[in-house]
Amino acid sequence: MKSGRLLGVGAALVLGAWVLSTRRAASYARLHPELRSPFVRFRSPPFSPGVVAVMGAMQARAKAPALPDGVEVEERRIPGPPGAPDVMVFVYRPPNLSANAAAILNIHGGGYVTGSAASYHPQSAAYARELGVVVVGVEYRLAPGTPFPGPLEDCYAALTWMAREAEALGIDPARIALVGDSAGGGLAAALAQLAHDRGEVRPAFQLLYYPMLDDRTALANTHDERGEFIWRPASNVLGWTSYLGCPPRLDSAPEYAAPARRESLEGLPPAWIGVGTLDLFCPEDREYARRLQQDGVPCEYVEVPGAYHAFERFAPDSAVARTFTASALNALRRGLELT
């Protein structure tokens, strides 16, 4: 009897592995041809507390990436939210910066639980050099050590600091764009809402790469074969649970925590939203773009067939990634009124 049960368990495991491998092969076949590589053939491990701890330790020991030639970066500590520690920011300036320049607040991704502004040196510096703007990268506190609203309030402190110090920074406070990817895109979207309601600063534009907007996605049982690459459903559950300080609930979430839950999007800054069709966030991003447009907010929505989460970072030299990045840069030029 015991051996029979063992054989049954073994057969179930084999069948399960076969189903997973078949599904994985089907997902791989749906990838954009330029994004198929040995790297994505392997199933990326979901985030867990242990994985996040290892990533944090590796991040702490990693050297900051090199900057492009000619871009200067300054590390600053600015006043944090009331009762909270100071916030570290990095200020990037290109050569020959014009007076009263436009600016970008760049908010890094990492599922709310990992990542750093320092690791985004190349991206922030590239914005400064290619667009001729001042870029501020914010080192917001991470969950679960600091759950909502701490990370968002750190970003708000950076935004209001940019506006207060506009003259010293050489920027036009009326031309500040909020830029973020993944969780950073979620924070940028929430920051646009928070800034609108508090009325101290009016960002000119929001650029959201595959933003993490809706905690209810973590409650879904199926995802239409999305989320097989890079950012998986289990990672999404961990990210939202860490950020909210409790598991997501279908009926409610704290105001500004999940931008997709906001009832009216009227009056928010114009936006660009880009995402791949195989990204777990594709449905929530598509719906948010639709609602922005419905509520009278100009929004350019770019959906890339067969692209996975953060594909332009993992395959930057592919034509599809270059086209995607060019679309974002052109949107920034228009949003910040750059010649």
Side-chain angles (χ1 to χ4, degrees):
M1 181 67 71
K2 184 176 180 181
S3 61
R5 284 200 301 269
L6 289 175
L7 285 172
V9 171
L13 290 173
V14 170
L15 177 60
W18 179 81
V19 169
L20 285 174
S21 64
T22 302
R23 189 175 70 186
R24 183 70 172 170
S27 298
Y28 187 81
R30 295 170 62 203
L31 282 173
H32 190 288
E34 294 176 7
L35 302 178
R36 296 172 187 164
S37 71
F39 170 76
V40 294
R41 275 191 179 277
F42 297 99
R43 192 175 182 84
S44 50
F47 278 28
S48 66
V51 169
V52 170
V54 169
M55 293 176 70
M58 293 173 62
Q59 178 181 300
R61 291 194 294 268
K63 293 182 179 179
L67 294 174
D69 291 340
V71 176
E72 297 179 353
V73 61
E74 178 187 7
E75 182 179 317
R76 300 278 297 272
R77 288 195 174 274
I78 66 170
D86 288 349
V87 177
M88 181 187 296
V89 298
F90 297 94
V91 182
Y92 306 81
R93 291 185 176 85
N96 305 315
L97 181 69
S98 61
N100 210 32
I104 287 172
L105 176 59
N106 195 21
I107 306 175
H108 71 80
Y112 297 114
V113 295
T114 188
S116 70
S119 69
Y120 276 53
H121 275 340
Q123 185 196 64
S124 294
Y127 284 138
R129 183 186 60 188
E130 295 182 31
L131 300 176
V133 301
V134 173
V135 178
V136 174
V138 54
E139 202 72 89
Y140 61 87
R141 290 168 293 169
L142 298 174
T146 303
F148 175 85
L152 177 59
E153 291 290 355
D154 287 351
C155 294
Y156 187 77
L159 175 63
T160 52
W161 174 79
M162 290 173 70
R164 285 196 312 271
E165 299 296 320
E167 185 175 355
L169 291 169
I171 65 173
D172 178 357
R175 290 195 298 153
I176 299 175
L178 310 177
V179 176
D181 65 293
S182 194
L187 284 168
L191 183 57
Q193 297 176 3
L194 187 63
H196 172 274
D197 294 351
R198 289 184 178 173
E200 294 182 277
V201 187
R202 294 185 63 86
F205 195 71
Q206 47 182 330
L207 188 88
L208 312 177
Y209 293 94
Y210 33 88
M212 187 173 174
L213 301 169
D214 197 338
D215 60 319
R216 292 167 294 190
T217 298
L219 299 174
N221 293 323
T222 60
H223 300 281
D224 243 1
E225 297 186 11
R226 296 184 179 94
E228 289 291 316
F229 305 98
I230 309 304
W231 187 252
R232 294 171 55 193
S235 302
N236 204 40
V237 172
L238 176 75
W240 276 114
T241 300
S242 299
Y243 185 55
L244 296 173
C246 63
R249 298 188 304 176
L250 192 60
D251 59 338
S252 66
E255 188 177 16
Y256 307 115
R261 288 184 181 260
R262 185 179 175 98
E263 290 187 7
S264 174
L265 306 180
E266 185 178 355
L268 294 180
W272 178 96
I273 298 176
V275 67
T277 58
L278 298 185
D279 194 316
L280 185 66
F281 300 148
C282 184
E284 64 190 68
D285 292 353
R286 181 192 297 150
E287 175 63 9
Y288 196 71
R290 185 196 67 77
R291 290 184 55 222
L292 283 168
Q293 295 163 352
Q294 176 183 282
D295 286 354
V297 178
C299 177
E300 180 182 357
Y301 177 66
V302 176
E303 190 171 287
V304 183
Y308 53 83
H309 191 71
F311 70 97
E312 87 289 357
R313 289 182 170 272
F314 293 96
D317 296 328
S318 64
V320 67
R322 290 197 298 268
T323 299
F324 184 72
T325 303
S327 174
L329 288 174
N330 288 333
L332 277 172
R333 290 186 179 98
R334 293 190 298 271
L336 291 175
E337 302 177 359
L338 303 175
T339 56

